[in-house]
Amino acid sequence: MDASVEEILKEHLRRFAGQFRHAGEMVGLLQADGIEITHAREVAPSTWFLRAKPPQHLQEGFGLAPEILLIVITQGGVQARDIQRANSEVMLSGLRLDSNLVIVTDTHFDLQDRLDRIPGTGQRVAWVWDDKDHWAPLSEVLRQQLPTYDAFEERDPVRGDQLMGRDAEVATLRTRVVRGDAVGVFGLRKMGKTSLVRAVTDSLDPASALRNEAGGNDVTSRTCVVWVDAEMLDPDAQVDDVAREMLVSLRRRMRAAQMPYAAPERQGFAGLKDAGEALLDENWRLCFVIDEYDFLFEREADAGPVPGLSRLLRLLRAWSQTRQGTVSLILIGRDPEHLSVPLLDGVSNPLLAWFIPMWLGPLAAPRDTAMLRRLGRRTGLDIGPESAERARHWTGGHPLLHRQFGSALRQATLNHHPALAWKAKTDAHCNEAVERFLERDTVHTVAREVLALLDKRYRPAHDLLLTLAEQEGPPGTLKNQKLHTDGSQTLRNFGILDERTQSLPAYLSWYVRKLLPPMRRMAV
């Protein structure tokens, strides 16, 4: 640590000790655990944030990120706004902080009950003293509290260290964005597309992840991410409405970063053009993200694309060309079908020579097992080789379903070890875990969505999938004569057909055989 930084930290800790009577004992216990305090600051009256770096054996043993955040309320009780500030701190840390865990101390009793009532995601662990002013070491508190929270059960897009097994994809997408490309990120629902893009945009522009003001943090990024969810647009939206949503996102980002921003006098498309050119003239980089981009093209009653959409895309393309790659575009959706049409609004599609498709499939081995075991350590489980093999067989590496299998393993293990002793072994409970996994609505929903998408838009792939699932013997293995059909390529693009084994994930074969209505199977 730099000498000047170290002196600042010491001064802040002296101030902290002057406000909190247990500061000495808290810091001493952290040091005894080998946990190093790296930052300390008062973010609001009586509210302190301490960032701490656990030693490697605790990071690995508990599945922690490189740093954890402690909230210390020196007077009064923790409030929802403190948790919101903590979320911002995670985003502004360069995502070194654990995004799914915060340690909280305040001066009131029943802290854990109050933490559980505060809305939001992630685990909040209360670290408090007992009736005799005695503190347990934080490592012991984590060992007791972490298994009480199902870290596998996460269905919303994840952030920071919770995005696991996607390092190569993040690096590739980041390079393309920095170059000023238009990238289409395609794949099945719940495959992690939004989480992947968030990992890139959070690193390039941390302020874009904030919902509230940064609270005194320095946000120095000169990249501005403008994020729009097309699913939220009205069914009769025009291009001015899309541009207006982009301006709202831009204004929110600048306000969160506490940066000066003069809203354009004009509205809609013209206003977006004015605001964008003003920022580019000030040497900003702009990254536009349109999530669920399909809704720009698939509107109610087959109304076709949003009128005037080509004007917006031409503007972004022109900026990218004339401003030397300082403008990039990311489109998130199921597939590139709409982006490949030669004409849009009766003129040449501006994306044809610009956008690069990027398919996001399941987690490849052994990254799927690494994720399963890390989350297992977080919940007190020792995920054995048979458990990992069963998870791969049944989920095919689908990120959401892999987490669901881990959650089922946790349920099955808890059924036999209610107290959930630390490092409880899971292999003995694999059969029960499979049964619990297949009972889950999430598994059925994912299977239904896969079949519905293929049935509607990729009929050869749909029929091939049903054929593979109905095969005698081990289900779902592709024969040599069908390796290069259009249907098999579609299944590979979506990651439904494993490139190495040429087989389906077992959950799909099981769903087709057990739950798909017989008449639909016979129609193939």
Side-chain angles (χ1 to χ4, degrees):
M1 184 182 297
D2 183 84
S4 60
V5 174
E6 187 173 2
E7 285 302 315
I8 293 173
L9 176 59
K10 287 180 179 179
E11 175 58 29
H12 286 179
L13 288 176
R14 280 193 290 269
R15 289 180 51 217
F16 173 60
Q19 294 186 27
F20 188 49
R21 68 186 180 93
H22 292 286
E25 189 170 4
M26 171 184 277
V27 172
L29 286 171
L30 291 173
Q31 291 174 343
D33 272 333
I35 300 174
E36 175 191 0
I37 297 177
T38 58
H39 299 77
R41 65 189 182 92
E42 189 174 16
V43 297
S46 303
T47 302
W48 282 80
F49 281 178
L50 306 182
R51 286 173 55 177
K53 180 181 178 182
Q56 194 65 31
H57 73 276
L58 290 186
Q59 289 185 37
E60 295 178 357
F62 291 131
L64 302 175
E67 290 187 85
I68 56 177
L69 181 64
L70 292 83
I71 304 175
V72 182
I73 311 298
T74 59
Q75 291 184 12
V78 67
Q79 304 291 325
R81 63 176 176 268
D82 300 314
I83 302 300
Q84 293 169 357
R85 288 194 188 103
N87 294 335
S88 297
E89 185 79 4
V90 170
M91 293 299 108
L92 294 170
S93 72
L95 300 175
R96 284 184 54 81
L97 282 168
D98 198 300
S99 60
N100 205 38
L101 175 69
V102 64
I103 315 299
V104 184
T105 296
D106 69 15
T107 58
H108 287 186
F109 294 104
D110 73 349
L111 172 58
Q112 190 64 61
D113 289 341
R114 286 182 289 110
L115 285 174
D116 292 341
R117 292 196 296 269
I118 295 177
T121 60
Q123 186 173 12
R124 298 85 175 258
V125 171
W127 189 24
V128 294
W129 56 94
D130 61 21
D131 295 339
K132 299 179 180 179
D133 274 5
H134 173 264
W135 285 59
L138 181 57
S139 57
E140 183 59 32
V141 172
L142 292 176
R143 187 173 288 108
Q144 293 173 357
Q145 294 297 318
L146 289 181
T148 65
Y149 179 80
D150 189 352
F152 293 104
E153 191 61 69
E154 181 58 74
R155 306 186 191 194
D156 295 326
V158 297
R159 308 295 273 267
D161 64 295
Q162 290 299 301
L163 179 66
M164 304 176 198
R166 297 294 196 189
D167 292 351
E169 292 90 340
V170 168
T172 298
L173 180 58
R174 194 180 194 281
T175 298
R176 290 174 175 172
V177 170
V178 170
R179 281 192 337 212
D181 290 335
V183 184
V185 180
F186 307 120
L188 298 173
R189 289 188 71 250
K190 300 300 182 181
M191 195 59 76
K193 302 185 297 295
T194 299
S195 297
L196 172 69
V197 176
R198 283 291 189 193
V200 173
T201 59
D202 287 350
S203 67
L204 293 174
D205 179 21
S208 67
L210 304 178
R211 304 300 298 180
N212 304 297
E213 291 187 2
N217 289 283
D218 293 326
V219 181
T220 58
S221 171
R222 296 297 291 178
T223 296
C224 180
V225 173
V226 178
W227 190 293
V228 173
D229 188 342
E231 191 173 10
M232 303 301 293
L233 294 169
D234 291 335
D236 57 350
Q238 308 285 313
V239 70
D240 280 335
D241 299 304
V242 181
R244 190 176 301 112
E245 289 300 313
M246 289 181 169
L247 285 170
V248 169
S249 174
L250 174 59
R251 183 170 62 251
R252 182 189 305 119
R253 184 266 177 216
M254 291 302 193
R255 184 175 64 245
Q258 300 182 29
M259 289 184 171
Y261 170 67
E265 294 182 1
R266 297 193 291 179
Q267 298 296 314
F269 177 80
L272 179 66
K273 183 178 180 181
D274 292 345
E277 290 181 349
L279 289 171
L280 291 169
D281 287 342
E282 295 176 4
N283 297 318
W284 282 83
R285 300 180 64 90
L286 300 179
C287 174
F288 293 87
V289 181
I290 303 178
D291 203 353
E292 302 287 358
Y293 96 91
D294 312 76
F295 285 92
L296 296 178
F297 294 85
E298 300 174 6
R299 299 188 298 151
E300 292 181 4
D302 296 325
V306 168
L309 180 61
S310 64
R311 293 170 57 206
L312 175 61
L313 298 178
R314 285 201 307 273
L315 174 64
L316 302 183
R317 174 62 169 154
W319 277 343
S320 178
Q321 290 178 315
T322 60
R323 302 287 183 149
Q324 297 297 312
T326 58
V327 176
S328 55
L329 172 65
I330 304 176
L331 300 169
I332 307 172
R334 290 186 308 247
D335 58 44
E337 177 178 335
H338 300 302
L339 307 181
S340 304
V341 295
L343 299 178
L344 190 57
D345 290 333
V347 297
S348 296
N349 184 348
L351 290 174
L352 284 179
W354 188 25
F355 101 94
I356 300 169
M358 180 177 180
W359 288 93
L360 190 66
L363 293 170
R367 292 181 289 175
D368 56 339
T369 297
M371 180 188 79
L372 193 70
R373 286 181 170 154
R374 180 181 168 188
L375 291 172
R377 292 194 298 272
R378 186 64 160 256
T379 58
L381 300 179
D382 181 4
I383 304 288
E386 184 177 352
S387 302
E389 183 178 343
R390 292 283 193 97
R392 181 73 196 182
H393 172 74
W394 281 100
T395 72
H398 188 296
L400 174 63
L401 297 185
H402 225 61
R403 283 176 172 264
Q404 289 289 300
F405 194 93
S407 182
L409 267 175
R410 178 177 179 272
Q411 276 188 322
T413 306
L414 275 172
N415 192 38
H416 296 274
H417 306 282
L420 197 58
W422 192 255
K423 294 187 178 179
K425 297 187 179 299
T426 61
D427 279 354
H429 312 298
C430 283
N431 290 337
E432 182 179 341
V434 170
E435 294 176 2
R436 290 177 177 271
F437 171 75
L438 295 176
E439 290 172 352
R440 295 192 164 213
D441 290 339
T442 302
V443 177
H444 303 172
T445 298
V446 170
R448 283 196 301 268
E449 289 176 346
V450 169
L451 291 166
L453 171 65
L454 297 181
D455 188 30
K456 180 181 179 181
R457 298 173 64 144
Y458 302 98
R459 189 68 196 193
H462 174 271
D463 294 348
L464 177 58
L465 187 153
L466 297 189
T467 300
L468 292 174
E470 292 282 15
Q471 282 180 180
E472 294 295 329
T477 302
L478 190 66
K479 305 301 182 184
N480 289 335
Q481 65 270 24
K482 296 181 179 178
L483 282 175
H484 305 293
T485 64
D486 289 342
S488 64
Q489 187 57 53
T490 299
L491 295 182
R492 288 192 194 92
N493 286 343
F494 283 116
I496 298 170
L497 194 64
D498 187 279
E499 288 280 4
R500 183 176 59 84
T501 64
Q502 300 298 322
S503 61
L504 300 176
Y507 83 91
L508 268 177
S509 298
W510 171 85
Y511 183 86
V512 169
R513 289 182 170 188
K514 298 294 185 180
L515 299 183
L516 193 66
M519 293 304 297
R520 285 192 60 187
R521 302 205 305 269
M522 292 173 59
V524 177

